[in-house]
PDB file of all heavy atoms in Angstrom:
ATOM      1  N   ASP A1513      24.155  17.013  -7.366  1.00  0.00           N
ATOM      2  CA  ASP A1513      23.944  18.140  -8.410  1.00  0.00           C
ATOM      3  C   ASP A1513      23.126  17.554  -9.561  1.00  0.00           C
ATOM      4  O   ASP A1513      23.545  16.651 -10.252  1.00  0.00           O
ATOM      5  CB  ASP A1513      25.315  18.593  -8.903  1.00  0.00           C
ATOM      6  CG  ASP A1513      25.137  19.816  -9.890  1.00  0.00           C
ATOM      7  OD1 ASP A1513      24.054  20.418  -9.879  1.00  0.00           O
ATOM      8  OD2 ASP A1513      26.007  19.972 -10.722  1.00  0.00           O
ATOM      9  N   PRO A1514      21.852  18.051  -9.853  1.00  0.00           N
ATOM     10  CA  PRO A1514      21.103  19.070  -9.009  1.00  0.00           C
ATOM     11  C   PRO A1514      20.695  18.449  -7.694  1.00  0.00           C
ATOM     12  O   PRO A1514      20.798  17.169  -7.593  1.00  0.00           O
ATOM     13  CB  PRO A1514      19.908  19.314  -9.864  1.00  0.00           C
ATOM     14  CG  PRO A1514      19.696  18.080 -10.694  1.00  0.00           C
ATOM     15  CD  PRO A1514      21.005  17.542 -10.897  1.00  0.00           C
ATOM     16  N   PRO A1515      20.207  19.219  -6.751  1.00  0.00           N
ATOM     17  CA  PRO A1515      19.801  18.593  -5.438  1.00  0.00           C
ATOM     18  C   PRO A1515      18.711  17.490  -5.715  1.00  0.00           C
ATOM     19  O   PRO A1515      17.879  17.582  -6.499  1.00  0.00           O
ATOM     20  CB  PRO A1515      19.091  19.874  -4.675  1.00  0.00           C
ATOM     21  CG  PRO A1515      19.725  21.070  -5.315  1.00  0.00           C
ATOM     22  CD  PRO A1515      19.948  20.640  -6.827  1.00  0.00           C
ATOM     23  N   LYS A1516      18.967  16.394  -4.886  1.00  0.00           N
ATOM     24  CA  LYS A1516      18.105  15.220  -5.080  1.00  0.00           C
ATOM     25  C   LYS A1516      16.658  15.493  -4.499  1.00  0.00           C
ATOM     26  O   LYS A1516      16.551  16.169  -3.465  1.00  0.00           O
ATOM     27  CB  LYS A1516      18.739  13.966  -4.363  1.00  0.00           C
ATOM     28  CG  LYS A1516      17.925  12.745  -4.594  1.00  0.00           C
ATOM     29  CD  LYS A1516      18.781  11.477  -4.208  1.00  0.00           C
ATOM     30  CE  LYS A1516      17.920  10.209  -4.331  1.00  0.00           C
ATOM     31  NZ  LYS A1516      18.516   9.117  -3.939  1.00  0.00           N
ATOM     32  N   GLN A1517      15.692  14.989  -5.180  1.00  0.00           N
ATOM     33  CA  GLN A1517      14.329  15.200  -4.673  1.00  0.00           C
ATOM     34  C   GLN A1517      13.899  13.876  -3.894  1.00  0.00           C
ATOM     35  O   GLN A1517      14.095  12.773  -4.498  1.00  0.00           O
ATOM     36  CB  GLN A1517      13.304  15.376  -5.763  1.00  0.00           C
ATOM     37  CG  GLN A1517      13.439  16.772  -6.420  1.00  0.00           C
ATOM     38  CD  GLN A1517      12.620  16.798  -7.658  1.00  0.00           C
ATOM     39  OE1 GLN A1517      12.919  16.226  -8.773  1.00  0.00           O
ATOM     40  NE2 GLN A1517      11.418  17.426  -7.516  1.00  0.00           N
ATOM     41  N   TYR A1518      13.411  14.066  -2.761  1.00  0.00           N
ATOM     42  CA  TYR A1518      12.977  12.824  -1.956  1.00  0.00           C
ATOM     43  C   TYR A1518      11.541  12.782  -1.896  1.00  0.00           C
ATOM     44  O   TYR A1518      10.775  13.750  -1.947  1.00  0.00           O
ATOM     45  CB  TYR A1518      13.538  13.019  -0.489  1.00  0.00           C
ATOM     46  CG  TYR A1518      15.008  12.830  -0.536  1.00  0.00           C
ATOM     47  CD1 TYR A1518      15.854  13.901  -0.730  1.00  0.00           C
ATOM     48  CD2 TYR A1518      15.611  11.568  -0.322  1.00  0.00           C
ATOM     49  CE1 TYR A1518      17.218  13.739  -0.716  1.00  0.00           C
ATOM     50  CE2 TYR A1518      16.995  11.466  -0.320  1.00  0.00           C
ATOM     51  CZ  TYR A1518      17.730  12.540  -0.473  1.00  0.00           C
ATOM     52  OH  TYR A1518      19.170  12.368  -0.512  1.00  0.00           O
ATOM     53  N   ARG A1519      10.888  11.484  -1.931  1.00  0.00           N
ATOM     54  CA  ARG A1519       9.503  11.378  -1.858  1.00  0.00           C
ATOM     55  C   ARG A1519       9.233  11.311  -0.295  1.00  0.00           C
ATOM     56  O   ARG A1519       9.663  10.434   0.512  1.00  0.00           O
ATOM     57  CB  ARG A1519       9.118   9.970  -2.464  1.00  0.00           C
ATOM     58  CG  ARG A1519       9.299  10.040  -3.986  1.00  0.00           C
ATOM     59  CD  ARG A1519       9.256   8.673  -4.574  1.00  0.00           C
ATOM     60  NE  ARG A1519       7.951   8.005  -4.436  1.00  0.00           N
ATOM     61  CZ  ARG A1519       7.769   6.791  -3.859  1.00  0.00           C
ATOM     62  NH1 ARG A1519       8.753   6.243  -3.223  1.00  0.00           N
ATOM     63  NH2 ARG A1519       6.540   6.326  -3.762  1.00  0.00           N
ATOM     64  N   ARG A1520       8.567  12.296   0.162  1.00  0.00           N
ATOM     65  CA  ARG A1520       8.278  12.472   1.665  1.00  0.00           C
ATOM     66  C   ARG A1520       6.924  12.091   2.108  1.00  0.00           C
ATOM     67  O   ARG A1520       6.507  12.353   3.224  1.00  0.00           O
ATOM     68  CB  ARG A1520       8.578  13.868   2.151  1.00  0.00           C
ATOM     69  CG  ARG A1520      10.108  14.306   1.861  1.00  0.00           C
ATOM     70  CD  ARG A1520      10.395  15.661   2.223  1.00  0.00           C
ATOM     71  NE  ARG A1520      11.553  16.186   1.554  1.00  0.00           N
ATOM     72  CZ  ARG A1520      12.828  16.113   2.019  1.00  0.00           C
ATOM     73  NH1 ARG A1520      13.024  15.423   3.203  1.00  0.00           N
ATOM     74  NH2 ARG A1520      13.842  16.571   1.332  1.00  0.00           N
ATOM     75  N   GLY A1521       6.188  11.476   1.132  1.00  0.00           N
ATOM     76  CA  GLY A1521       4.800  10.947   1.601  1.00  0.00           C
ATOM     77  C   GLY A1521       3.708  11.990   1.407  1.00  0.00           C
ATOM     78  O   GLY A1521       2.561  11.561   1.528  1.00  0.00           O
ATOM     79  N   SER A1522       4.017  13.235   1.378  1.00  0.00           N
ATOM     80  CA  SER A1522       2.972  14.277   1.379  1.00  0.00           C
ATOM     81  C   SER A1522       2.143  14.298   0.195  1.00  0.00           C
ATOM     82  O   SER A1522       1.046  14.989   0.041  1.00  0.00           O
ATOM     83  CB  SER A1522       3.464  15.614   1.822  1.00  0.00           C
ATOM     84  OG  SER A1522       4.560  15.956   1.027  1.00  0.00           O
ATOM     85  N   ASN A1523       2.631  13.709  -0.989  1.00  0.00           N
ATOM     86  CA  ASN A1523       1.870  13.734  -2.232  1.00  0.00           C
ATOM     87  C   ASN A1523       1.066  12.487  -2.508  1.00  0.00           C
ATOM     88  O   ASN A1523       0.822  12.172  -3.664  1.00  0.00           O
ATOM     89  CB  ASN A1523       2.856  14.000  -3.375  1.00  0.00           C
ATOM     90  CG  ASN A1523       3.505  15.445  -3.430  1.00  0.00           C
ATOM     91  OD1 ASN A1523       2.655  16.364  -2.976  1.00  0.00           O
ATOM     92  ND2 ASN A1523       4.704  15.517  -3.687  1.00  0.00           N
ATOM     93  N   GLY A1524       0.750  11.768  -1.426  1.00  0.00           N
ATOM     94  CA  GLY A1524      -0.193  10.589  -1.592  1.00  0.00           C
ATOM     95  C   GLY A1524      -1.586  11.106  -1.813  1.00  0.00           C
ATOM     96  O   GLY A1524      -1.933  12.187  -1.903  1.00  0.00           O
ATOM     97  N   VAL A1525      -2.492  10.129  -1.838  1.00  0.00           N
ATOM     98  CA  VAL A1525      -3.960  10.484  -2.087  1.00  0.00           C
ATOM     99  C   VAL A1525      -4.547  10.584  -0.758  1.00  0.00           C
ATOM    100  O   VAL A1525      -4.847   9.517  -0.013  1.00  0.00           O
ATOM    101  CB  VAL A1525      -4.590   9.402  -2.897  1.00  0.00           C
ATOM    102  CG1 VAL A1525      -6.120   9.613  -3.066  1.00  0.00           C
ATOM    103  CG2 VAL A1525      -3.919   9.163  -4.281  1.00  0.00           C
ATOM    104  N   TYR A1526      -4.816  11.793  -0.333  1.00  0.00           N
ATOM    105  CA  TYR A1526      -5.474  12.064   0.971  1.00  0.00           C
ATOM    106  C   TYR A1526      -6.694  12.851   0.932  1.00  0.00           C
ATOM    107  O   TYR A1526      -7.693  12.650   1.671  1.00  0.00           O
ATOM    108  CB  TYR A1526      -4.396  12.900   1.833  1.00  0.00           C
ATOM    109  CG  TYR A1526      -3.047  12.235   2.010  1.00  0.00           C
ATOM    110  CD1 TYR A1526      -1.907  12.839   1.595  1.00  0.00           C
ATOM    111  CD2 TYR A1526      -2.953  11.024   2.637  1.00  0.00           C
ATOM    112  CE1 TYR A1526      -0.699  12.252   1.680  1.00  0.00           C
ATOM    113  CE2 TYR A1526      -1.734  10.441   2.806  1.00  0.00           C
ATOM    114  CZ  TYR A1526      -0.591  10.983   2.264  1.00  0.00           C
ATOM    115  OH  TYR A1526       0.597  10.440   2.469  1.00  0.00           O
TER     116      TYR A1526
END
Side-chain angles (χ1 to χ4, degrees):
D1513 181 24
K1516 188 169 176 183
Q1517 288 173 283
Y1518 291 86
R1519 294 165 65 240
R1520 296 178 204 271
S1522 51
N1523 291 322
V1525 178
Y1526 304 117

